[in-house]
Amino acid sequence: MASSRLPVPNSTTSFWRSKPLSLDDHRTTAELPKKADVVVIGSGYSGASTVYHMLKMYEEKGLPIPSVVILEARQVCSGATGRNGGHLKPDPYVRPAEIAVTHGYEAALECANFERAHVPAVKKAIDEEGIDCDFVLTRCCDVLLTEDVASKLRAGVNMLRKAGLPTVVEDVYDGAAMDPKAAEQLSGVKGAKACFTYTAGHIFPYKFIHGLLNKCIDKYSVNLQTHTPVTVPIPAGPDPSDGRIPVTTARGVIRAQRVICATNAYTSSVLPEYSSRIVPVRGICSRIIPTNPATGPLQMSYIIRSSSTAYEYMIPRLDGSIIIGGARSEYLDKLDEWYDNVNDDALIPSVSNFFDGYMQRHFKGWEESGATTDRVWTGIMGYSSDNQPHVGPIPGRQNQYIIAGFTGHGMPQIFLSAKGLADMIVNGSQFKATGIPRLYQTTSDRITATTNATLELWKSNMSDLKSRL
Ligand SMILES: Cc1cc2nc3c(=O)[nH]c(=O)nc-3n(C[C@H](O)[C@H](O)[C@H](O)COP(=O)(O)OP(=O)(O)OC[C@H]3O[C@@H](n4cnc5c(N)ncnc54)[C@H](O)[C@@H]3O)c2cc1C
């Protein structure tokens, strides 16, 4: 287990954060306020979206705007959101097929529809708030490089199609699912055995979050305090002396009526009961630049799968560069390099030159692209031990909420989870009425469970690998 689950200093610099924006080291007031109506811990996608939705709802209802303080351990949006792949890619069939088997079609449908709704919801917020963050609506091409992974995914798509799952029936194009020639032609990827395409988006995540936070500070007088880690677990209940929850930071104590933990991988630093439920998992990402001007832009975003657990995700940026993350095939067998690891201050040792020549190796016509690696960085994801995020009021704690554990897939899950959480806080809505998938609800059973889907999958992969050697 990692000795400290607080964000580490001196993190690697992602492409997104290579030019810090105005709020990067922002402190709205020089001193930490002594109290607030709501304290939000974390200034990533979860924290910023929750504050945004919450205050918008108070305003729309004509209610007084509460005082909100956001506490951020490092710079604004310096966690996973500021170092991810920028891929807003709802999953229409991989996770839904797994959920259909474990929890039934209704639960699978809820998750798939919820994710799909994120693309228009994020686009709407970007338009309404006038946030300049390079949003692109596109198709994601899911390329399957082995017959093994192709047949597994085909089976899932067929099962969901037979059940009439709208995300698959209406959106997934599978014309190249059976024919490798067609798959290579459609995807442009050498050796593709099959591919599917479906609606997705991509954005500049740091600019999006910065835009939301700017709005919250300007319009709703939110107080943002960067470089202010919460250093002590939050007590389960309010202090009887004033009915407030004391939140202890490196810069003093702030007393809150309500606390929202948007702490993702680092959740156990403030809520120890989640320590085996949301585990920090290190990932790696890169930016590639083609140097030959004749290289045409990619027309889609991509997932390129060499097995069920090893894949790359990829978005083409409007500046001609490409963001690629993944490289799991290089390090998956070395558990300590990625599991329970908060070290985004270093690259993953086993991933040396993986991204160099990636485009030339995989894409037809890119052999002379001169594509070179511009930058590589790491980031820490919050892996939930049952693969589902934890959202909602925290069992056994009064006036405390969680939105965390997005298991490396938060872009199409967080914005509307945050809206649902805001609905619970502002309107007192029950979880069921918010539209958040039932599987996301944080419950005592989930918190006290002892199974660990991440490690189970890892172990089965390792034994599978050994049996093939
Ligand atoms: C390399 C990489 C690539 C990824 N690519 C994609 C992708 O392409 N598509 C996709 O859907 N998802 C992707 N993800 C996952 C996605 O980035 C996350 O699901 C999402 O950003 C989580 O947002 P968040 O706000 O919950 O967490 P974070 O962005 O990690 O924010 C949590 C914040 O809380 C702060 N914090 C934590 N503890 C404390 C404390 N005790 N005191 C004060 N502050 C604290 C942290 O500093 C951090 O800023 C990727 C993740 C990584 C690491």
Side-chain angles (χ1 to χ4, degrees), residues 6 42 45-46 72-73 80-81 84-85 87 230 264 266 269 313 379 408 410-411:
L6 278 173
Y45 189 10
S46 296
E72 168 52 54
T81 314
N84 71 18
H87 208 176
V230 174
N264 200 35
Y266 311 97
S269 66
Y313 43 88
M411 299 287 275

Side-chain angles (χ1 to χ4, degrees), residues 14-21 24 45 77 80-88 122 126 131-136 201-212 287 315-319 321 323 375 377 411:
S14 68
F15 161 68
W16 313 113
R17 294 188 36 78
S18 57
K19 289 190 189 129
L21 298 170
D24 211 55
Y45 189 10
C77 194
T81 314
R83 33 190 77 249
N84 71 18
H87 208 176
L88 175 56
V122 168
I126 289 170
I131 300 173
D132 174 12
C133 60
D134 302 354
F135 177 90
V136 172
H202 52 84
I203 62 172
F204 196 126
Y206 174 55
K207 284 190 181 172
F208 176 49
I209 298 314
H210 193 271
L212 290 181
R287 179 176 186 241
I315 63 164
R317 288 194 24 79
L318 297 177
D319 62 8
S321 69
I323 306 292
R375 186 183 288 267
W377 61 91
M411 299 287 275

Side-chain angles (χ1 to χ4, degrees), residues 6-7 41-47 71-74 78-81 83-87 228-230 262-264 266 269-270 283-285 313 379-381 403 406 408-412 414:
L6 278 173
I41 309 172
S43 70
Y45 189 10
S46 296
L71 304 175
E72 168 52 54
R74 304 190 295 203
S78 58
T81 314
R83 33 190 77 249
N84 71 18
H87 208 176
T228 308
V230 174
T263 38
N264 200 35
Y266 311 97
S269 66
V270 289
I284 193 158
C285 206
Y313 43 88
I380 311 299
M381 300 169 276
I403 171 163
F406 289 94
H409 186 60
M411 299 287 275
I414 290 175

